[in-house]
Amino acid sequence: MTPVEIYINKKVVWKEELALLRSVFKGLPLEETIKWGAPTYVFKGKNIVGLAAFKKYCGLWFFQGVLLKDRQKKFINAQEGKTKAMRQWRFYSMDEIDLLLIKEYVLETMAHIENGNEVKFTRNTKPLIIPLELMQRLSSDKQLEAGFNRFSKSKQHEFAAYIAAAKRVETKVKRLEKIIPLILSGEGLNDRYKKS
């Protein structure tokens, strides 16, 4: 049994829908794999579409969905303001699954890859603003400062945003105390979640 078959067979709800969605990809020149814990289909080394099931729906994720025409208006941007290229197509029942339209969208995606069309991702260029509480602690603890400076800019942003998001000074201090051991051990704020 393949990893994708194992993924589908573990589902109590949406098992039949996932198997039906998977059938669209089986006849196409796509590599089937598991990425981020879900079935993902790759064409010429590029992730093109993934499928997954949740409590209330199952769906497809087109990694470069923003490039597709989507004349039928099936796509949504699940994280407006954050997600640039990826688009979701959600199914709430078996009868909503249109295999021919899905195949059309997959073939259009493959054509974009063949032509070198893709949305390029840019790194976070926002300036790093370190909250006062963290700044004071870093300046008084050289070991902590060295640990913080070993992180990439994006991980430094995560630490700074975590503290800055707190409204009360007491909460900021508690959050600071929580991240100090992480910084000293070289562990990013969200590393534990990314592993699971």
Side-chain angles (χ1 to χ4, degrees), residues 142-183:
K142 294 303 171 195
Q143 184 182 2
L144 186 66
E145 182 181 30
F148 185 79
N149 289 334
R150 278 193 289 274
F151 285 105
S152 65
K153 287 290 180 205
S154 64
K155 289 193 187 261
Q156 290 177 359
H157 274 277
E158 286 176 2
F159 285 123
Y162 178 65
I163 293 172
K167 300 203 182 338
R168 296 177 37 218
V169 174
E170 297 84 10
T171 307
K172 290 182 184 206
V173 171
K174 282 183 185 175
R175 289 183 178 190
L176 176 61
E177 294 305 320
K178 179 182 174 183
I179 67 169
I180 287 173
L182 295 175
I183 293 171

Side-chain angles (χ1 to χ4, degrees), residues 31-59:
E31 175 193 343
E32 182 179 73
T33 187
I34 297 284
K35 293 187 179 185
W36 308 282
T40 303
Y41 295 86
V42 179
F43 180 68
K44 296 197 170 187
K46 302 282 186 179
N47 300 325
I48 65 164
V49 65
L51 64 102
F54 297 92
K55 286 182 183 177
K56 297 185 179 183
Y57 65 90
C58 65

Side-chain angles (χ1 to χ4, degrees), residues 23-112:
S23 72
V24 173
F25 311 122
K26 294 303 284 178
L28 297 172
L30 301 173
E31 175 193 343
E32 182 179 73
T33 187
I34 297 284
K35 293 187 179 185
W36 308 282
T40 303
Y41 295 86
V42 179
F43 180 68
K44 296 197 170 187
K46 302 282 186 179
N47 300 325
I48 65 164
V49 65
L51 64 102
F54 297 92
K55 286 182 183 177
K56 297 185 179 183
Y57 65 90
C58 65
L60 297 173
W61 280 256
F62 283 81
F63 291 90
Q64 294 285 325
V66 73
L67 298 176
L68 301 178
K69 293 181 181 97
D70 191 24
R71 290 183 189 98
Q72 302 295 324
K73 305 294 180 216
K74 299 294 184 180
F75 291 155
I76 64 166
N77 184 343
Q79 293 184 308
E80 202 66 53
K82 285 187 174 184
T83 305
K84 290 183 181 179
M86 187 180 291
R87 294 296 179 265
Q88 294 182 13
W89 184 353
R90 294 179 179 177
F91 307 98
Y92 297 91
S93 67
M94 181 73 88
D95 61 340
E96 292 180 5
I97 297 174
D98 182 341
L99 297 178
L100 292 176
L101 187 58
I102 293 168
K103 185 172 184 178
E104 182 182 315
Y105 283 22
V106 172
L107 292 172
E108 185 182 345
T109 303
M110 292 166 63
H112 279 294

